Amino acid sequence: SPRHRCRPQDLAQRRYFDNPAFTNFLVYLRYWKKPEYARLLQYPQCLAFLDVISDPGMAGRRFREEIERPDFTDFVNSQCFNHWQHSRTARMRELSESAKSNGDPGQH
């Protein structure tokens, strides 16, 4: 259920990112990026979060610190929504154009 999902900001606030065992587990989870697993994901954008959260470099450290801030969390959430909205609109347009070019009489 959505109210039980684990969001990056929840993990940061509970200090999970400070636990080396947990960060090693995140690295292990990268196997989900393989096509045979990724195709099963309902929310594939989680793979982008997995990359940045498990990145041991400066970008990963900064994201793990910043995601605790409500304003940054709101920004990330709005960017995810905008991406979803744009990609959905583009996909619908692509499907419509494909149907027209295939002579589907139900499409105008």
Side-chain angles (χ1 to χ4, degrees):
S1 129
R3 69 173 185 222
H4 295 295
R5 67 179 179 241
C6 193
R7 302 172 304 167
Q9 60 268 31
D10 297 331
L11 297 172
Q13 290 168 352
R14 293 184 179 116
R15 315 311 290 162
Y16 277 86
F17 299 138
D18 296 339
N19 182 341
F22 184 76
T23 54
N24 287 336
F25 177 66
L26 292 175
V27 170
Y28 162 75
L29 289 177
R30 287 182 175 181
Y31 75 87
W32 278 97
K33 294 182 75 171
K34 294 179 182 177
E36 63 267 27
Y37 298 108
R39 67 181 181 80
L40 303 172
L41 294 172
Q42 184 174 5
Y43 301 104
Q45 69 272 24
C46 70
L47 296 175
F49 283 104
L50 181 60
D51 280 344
V52 73
I53 289 170
S54 62
D55 178 0
M58 186 59 157
R61 282 194 300 270
R62 182 155 185 222
F63 183 86
R64 291 187 298 271
E65 292 168 0
E66 296 291 321
I67 199 65
E68 288 188 63
R69 293 187 12 235
D71 62 320
F72 185 73
T73 297
D74 290 344
F75 172 75
V76 169
N77 289 337
S78 70
Q79 293 301 303
C80 287
F81 177 78
N82 290 339
H83 175 75
W84 169 81
Q85 187 176 35
H86 174 73
S87 64
R88 182 175 182 274
T89 302
R91 180 70 178 137
M92 295 303 289
R93 186 179 317 118
E94 180 182 294
L95 290 172
S96 176
E97 290 170 2
S98 176
K100 285 178 188 176
S101 68
N102 290 330
D104 184 348
Q107 298 292 324
H108 295 82

